Amino acid sequence: MLLGVSLGHSAVLSVLSLIEKLTAPGPLDQQAAELNTAVTPDRPWLDLAIQLTRIFFALVPALFAVHLLNRGPGWDGRFGARGLLGIDGTRKGFDAGAGALLAALIGIPGLALYVGARELGLNATVVAEGLGGVWWAVPVLLLAAVQNAVLEEVVVVGYLITRLRQLSWQAPAAIVASALLRGSYHLYQGFGAFVGNAVMGVVFALFFLRYKRTGPLIVAHTLLDVVAFVGYALLAKHLDWI
């Protein structure tokens, strides 16, 4: 149920978006996958309200996941599901350091994979920011990066893997399920994005199973999206090569 109203729903829409791109005139690499776009660019005040509302409601499934785990078995002492998921704030140094290392491990090869997939015609051109020159663009992009990280890592890694393991799924099967879900809701960007995010999903799932913490995953994902979103906003005119 939780996946059906959150990232499972996104995965189905992403598959349909890829089909739309593949059946449209022109090759995939000449089409765009747009993120963080303006809704009402002629009314910036309304657009800001819409962007903030989207960010807030996108976090609700993550909060719901914590609630559901709190009602189930295996929660960790006074921190409840936050302890079970490793978002209890008890190891801030570890979370920050491990998150930064994971971001570097994933980010550099990920960029190379994206460029390679584009060159092979397997990926659309990702436009990471389309809010325009409004004063609030960077703060909203930072919030969007945090929102993406919290939603995906709590639901797709922490919640899903915990639930599958409680249902007696073997670790490899749980890892594959989490990684395939992560890759599937990025299919709107193309096949390269699916592969790259699925690999990221495997790494993140293995990390969670080893350390039982999504905190570092949230840090890593936030850093990756901040670089992608804000970097694109600031350097878009110089990024024609990708």
Side-chain angles (χ1 to χ4, degrees), residues 59-76:
L59 288 171
V60 171
L63 297 175
F64 190 36
V66 173
H67 169 71
L68 291 175
L69 288 176
N70 268 330
R71 297 180 60 188
W75 56 275
D76 185 21

Side-chain angles (χ1 to χ4, degrees), residues 20-225:
E20 187 274 330
K21 287 182 174 66
L22 293 175
T23 56
L28 182 60
D29 61 321
Q30 293 182 14
Q31 300 183 54
E34 299 180 341
L35 290 69
N36 304 303
T37 56
V39 179
T40 58
D42 57 326
R43 288 157 290 171
W45 59 271
L46 179 59
D47 202 22
L48 173 59
I50 293 172
Q51 300 295 336
L52 293 177
T53 300
R54 283 179 167 179
I55 290 169
F56 173 78
F57 281 103
L59 288 171
V60 171
L63 297 175
F64 190 36
V66 173
H67 169 71
L68 291 175
L69 288 176
N70 268 330
R71 297 180 60 188
W75 56 275
D76 185 21
R78 65 190 180 94
F79 292 108
R82 293 188 296 116
L84 184 65
L85 295 174
I87 49 175
D88 47 27
T90 59
R91 302 182 65 187
K92 296 177 182 177
F94 174 79
D95 291 350
L101 289 175
L102 283 170
L105 175 67
I106 296 295
I108 296 173
L111 178 59
L113 177 62
Y114 166 71
V115 174
R118 274 279 320 282
E119 292 299 315
L120 293 173
L122 298 175
N123 222 81
T125 299
V126 176
V127 180
E129 185 274 332
L131 295 175
V134 291
W135 65 266
W136 45 261
V138 170
V140 165
L141 291 172
L142 293 174
L143 289 174
V146 175
Q147 170 253 296
N148 286 344
V150 172
L151 173 64
E152 295 184 35
E153 305 316 325
V154 169
V155 173
V156 177
V157 179
Y159 175 81
L160 181 59
I161 289 179
T162 298
R163 275 291 189 243
L164 293 178
R165 295 291 283 155
Q166 289 173 347
L167 292 171
S168 300
W169 282 46
Q170 296 298 312
I175 292 170
V176 170
S178 176
L180 288 179
L181 176 58
R182 186 188 297 268
S184 64
Y185 58 75
H186 286 93
L187 269 170
Y188 70 96
Q189 299 176 16
F191 298 105
F194 172 83
V195 173
N197 280 280
V199 172
M200 174 178 168
V202 170
V203 173
F204 279 20
L206 286 170
F207 184 95
F208 179 72
L209 286 170
R210 171 64 177 83
Y211 295 101
K212 297 299 187 292
R213 298 196 67 78
T214 57
L217 309 183
I218 292 172
V219 171
H221 196 147
T222 298
L223 291 174
L224 291 170
D225 278 6

